[in-house]
Amino acid sequence: MRELCLPLGLTEEELQRLDDLVSNRRRLKRGDRLYSFGAPFDAIYAIRSGFFKTDVLLEDGREQVTGFQMAGELLGLDGISSEHHTCNAVALEDSEICAIPFSRLEVLSREIHTLQHHFHKVMSREIVRDHGVMMLLGTMRAEERLAAFLLNLSQRFTARGFSHADFYLRMTREEIGSYLGLKLETVSRTFSRFQEEGHIAVQQKHVRILDVAGLKALMNYRG
Amino acid sequence: MRELCLPLGLTEEELQRLDDLVSNRRRLKRGDRLYSFGAPFDAIYAIRSGFFKTDVLLEDGREQVTGFQMAGELLGLDGISSEHHTCNAVALEDSEICAIPFSRLEVLSREIHTLQHHFHKVMSREIVRDHGVMMLLGTMRAEERLAAFLLNLSQRFTARGFSHADFYLRMTREEIGSYLGLKLETVSRTFSRFQEEGHIAVQQKHVRILDVAGLKALMNYRG
DNA sequence: CATCCCGGTTGACGTGGATCAAGCTTGGAC
DNA sequence: GTCCAAGCTTGATCCACGTCAACCGGGATG
């Protein structure tokens, strides 16, 4: 956890103060909302365990999933700008989070330079990630989108010590589709095609990646 | 300029220190790059005047425009995460920017709380903006995307004291298309359709918005 | 002045993914 | 165990947007 979401090179005393900051824990069951669009913002959240999605809704009900977050990642950065949350965060499995009161984070990051810099990097990384999603939504075809999605999940599971090639999806086809700008049927069909072509083995939410190179190759060529 | 991109409520002395920070000006001609993908990051940039695009490229040459920036907006936030720029920033007209050395900004924002908070808000606003683009790319149809784009431009021009209804586009149809996830022909056709329907008058880069309500109405209903 | 060229428009046609619809699988409730 | 609802798969058809191609218009160049 520390390696993933906290800066290195802190003194014992600094670590202690950080631990105080993130001491406010909370458990959520699958389906629970961590926060909702429009709610007042006063804390960001570090995921200790579990899996989340964030989404934004249009007035007519259309949903865009803006991200899937797992242990070690932060939620709520969108709320800083307007003092209100601008999306919904929903637990996709039973999860545990730390609430980090934002005003206290700002105080502490004035005193601990590495914390300040780390926090800026985390926000910036979120912006870079979003640009990657724009690239995906703006220029890629369905196959490329799903391949990129699977490879990204695989890489993040690996970073957390799980198998890079064998995992359970926490989200539905519809949620994957919303994230990737596709309909659930297209997601399902593309899974099936990947399976026929031997790139993966998929049965409902259980995915095994059989051919990483093949998936990567799908991403770089038209046709 | 100050109203748009600087925090309010600073003392004279604080303002002086800020002015020192942003004293490093630079002029760019149309087509010049402010920075390129992979270049070392050491400063963010405030646009004093002019117009920019940022884009990311895939290995096979596909381009995704990630944003259009105008006076008072910041460029380069993407570079903080990895100490290298992760996109290209290109001037779409002759422009002037202030380079803000990032390490100095971090020092100063430790001392001026309102600056720190303002900077966090700016980064967060960028994240929120990106979510809006995801929504646009993931769920909207061509008409909705272009209407949203025009209304957004209009609103930003208004905030800068320009006409909300009469402006020149600084970017090509292809760049608009790249931003909106459409081909240039689709952008062109959709402009023509908007004109036929009386929502706008368009001649090449000159756009007049005739019916704001009509454009807004286009955005919320399927079909 | 003529020429070039880049960007824009428009038309004809093709297609990837959406839509509509029918089963199927699975896991939780009882 | 049975039942049911939610989610997944698959097929048939449709259509919004992409592709390909022709042409136009205006500003830069010589």
Side-chain angles (χ1 to χ4, degrees):
Chain A
M1 179 80 174
R2 277 236 168 90
E3 289 76 49
L4 277 169
C5 74
L6 284 184
L8 302 170
L10 298 185
T11 66
E12 267 309 307
E13 189 248 344
E14 286 170 343
L15 275 178
Q16 183 55 53
R17 299 178 69 189
L18 261 183
D19 279 347
D20 292 347
L21 185 64
V22 299
S23 60
N24 189 0
R25 297 198 190 168
R26 188 169 140 204
R27 291 183 172 283
L28 291 98
K29 300 207 82 62
R30 186 154 77 91
D32 286 353
R33 285 207 183 185
L34 179 55
Y35 55 80
S36 295
F37 175 88
F41 165 82
D42 46 40
I44 59 177
Y45 304 93
I47 305 175
R48 292 185 55 80
S49 66
F51 205 96
F52 287 79
K53 74 166 175 180
T54 48
D55 65 12
V56 286
L57 264 44
L58 243 38
E59 300 82 48
D60 63 8
R62 279 180 277 177
E63 175 195 33
Q64 176 68 33
V65 170
T66 53
F68 297 107
Q69 297 81 15
M70 51 180 82
E73 296 173 342
L74 288 183
L75 283 164
L77 298 176
D78 58 277
I80 301 169
S81 70
S82 66
E83 325 263 2
H84 289 79
H85 290 287
T86 62
C87 62
N88 306 295
V90 181
L92 296 183
E93 64 180 18
D94 294 358
S95 302
E96 191 180 8
I97 56 90
C98 297
I100 304 173
F102 187 64
S103 56
R104 289 187 57 200
L105 177 64
E106 285 193 329
V107 170
L108 206 53
S109 77
R110 273 181 237 132
E111 299 168 11
I112 306 178
H113 300 185
T114 51
L115 175 63
Q116 178 195 36
H117 192 58
H118 184 78
F119 178 63
H120 291 161
K121 282 192 169 192
V122 168
M123 291 210 91
S124 173
R125 181 152 58 233
E126 182 66 17
I127 292 171
V128 173
R129 188 193 71 81
D130 290 348
H131 290 175
V133 177
M134 286 184 212
M135 173 98 249
L136 182 144
L137 291 171
T139 76
M140 292 188 179
R141 303 134 53 16
E143 281 195 354
E144 298 176 298
R145 294 183 200 192
L146 194 64
F149 172 73
L150 289 173
L151 291 169
N152 174 266
L153 274 189
S154 164
Q155 179 254 306
R156 286 156 72 201
F157 280 129
T158 309
R160 282 157 186 79
F162 299 113
S163 166
H164 77 285
D166 192 315
F167 46 84
Y168 283 85
L169 300 172
R170 273 36 179 231
M171 68 295 278
T172 66
R173 299 288 187 265
E174 186 166 19
E175 288 163 336
I176 297 172
S178 170
Y179 181 61
L180 299 179
L182 303 169
K183 291 291 150 179
L184 68 92
E185 294 93 331
T186 303
V187 173
S188 181
R189 278 186 240 277
T190 308
F191 269 129
S192 300
R193 183 140 22 103
F194 283 179
Q195 176 154 258
E196 284 163 27
E197 292 167 356
H199 296 121
I200 63 173
V202 56
Q203 196 188 14
Q204 309 281 83
K205 307 219 165 188
H206 181 208
V207 173
R208 271 184 307 132
I209 297 184
L210 306 175
D211 177 14
V212 173
L215 287 178
K216 282 188 179 151
L218 274 177
M219 287 182 52
N220 290 318
Y221 300 103
R222 286 248 165 232
Chain B
M1 179 80 174
R2 278 236 167 91
E3 289 76 51
L4 277 169
C5 74
L6 285 183
L8 303 170
L10 297 185
T11 66
E12 268 309 308
E13 189 247 343
E14 286 170 343
L15 275 178
Q16 183 54 54
R17 298 178 68 188
L18 261 183
D19 279 347
D20 292 348
L21 185 65
V22 300
S23 61
N24 189 0
R25 296 199 189 168
R26 187 169 140 204
R27 290 183 174 282
L28 291 98
K29 299 206 84 60
R30 186 154 78 90
D32 286 352
R33 285 206 183 187
L34 179 56
Y35 54 81
S36 296
F37 174 88
F41 165 82
D42 46 40
I44 60 177
Y45 303 92
I47 305 175
R48 292 185 57 81
S49 66
F51 205 96
F52 287 80
K53 73 166 176 180
T54 47
D55 66 10
V56 285
L57 265 43
L58 243 38
E59 300 82 46
D60 63 7
R62 279 179 278 176
E63 175 194 33
Q64 176 67 32
V65 170
T66 53
F68 297 108
Q69 297 82 14
M70 51 180 80
E73 297 174 341
L74 288 183
L75 283 164
L77 297 176
D78 59 277
I80 301 169
S81 70
S82 65
E83 324 264 0
H84 290 80
H85 289 288
T86 62
C87 63
N88 306 296
V90 181
L92 295 183
E93 64 179 20
D94 294 358
S95 303
E96 191 180 10
I97 56 90
C98 297
I100 305 172
F102 187 63
S103 55
R104 289 187 57 198
L105 177 63
E106 285 193 330
V107 171
L108 205 53
S109 77
R110 274 181 238 132
E111 299 168 12
I112 306 178
H113 301 184
T114 52
L115 176 63
Q116 178 196 36
H117 191 58
H118 184 78
F119 179 63
H120 291 161
K121 283 192 168 192
V122 169
M123 290 209 92
S124 173
R125 181 152 57 234
E126 182 66 18
I127 292 170
V128 173
R129 189 193 70 82
D130 291 348
H131 290 175
V133 177
M134 286 184 212
M135 174 98 248
L136 182 145
L137 291 171
T139 75
M140 292 187 178
R141 300 137 43 33
E143 280 194 353
E144 298 176 299
R145 295 184 200 191
L146 194 64
F149 172 73
L150 289 173
L151 291 169
N152 174 266
L153 274 188
S154 164
Q155 179 255 306
R156 286 156 72 200
F157 280 128
T158 308
R160 282 156 186 79
F162 300 113
S163 167
H164 77 285
D166 193 314
F167 46 83
Y168 282 86
L169 300 173
R170 269 50 176 221
M171 68 295 279
T172 66
R173 299 289 187 265
E174 186 166 19
E175 286 163 336
I176 297 172
S178 170
Y179 181 62
L180 299 179
L182 303 169
K183 292 290 150 180
L184 67 94
E185 294 93 332
T186 302
V187 174
S188 181
R189 277 186 241 276
T190 308
F191 269 127
S192 299
R193 183 139 25 102
F194 283 178
Q195 177 153 260
E196 284 163 27
E197 291 167 358
H199 296 121
I200 63 172
V202 57
Q203 196 187 14
Q204 310 282 83
K205 306 220 164 189
H206 181 206
V207 174
R208 271 184 308 132
I209 297 186
L210 305 175
D211 177 14
V212 174
L215 287 177
K216 283 186 179 154
L218 275 179
M219 287 183 52
N220 291 317
Y221 300 101
R222 287 248 166 233

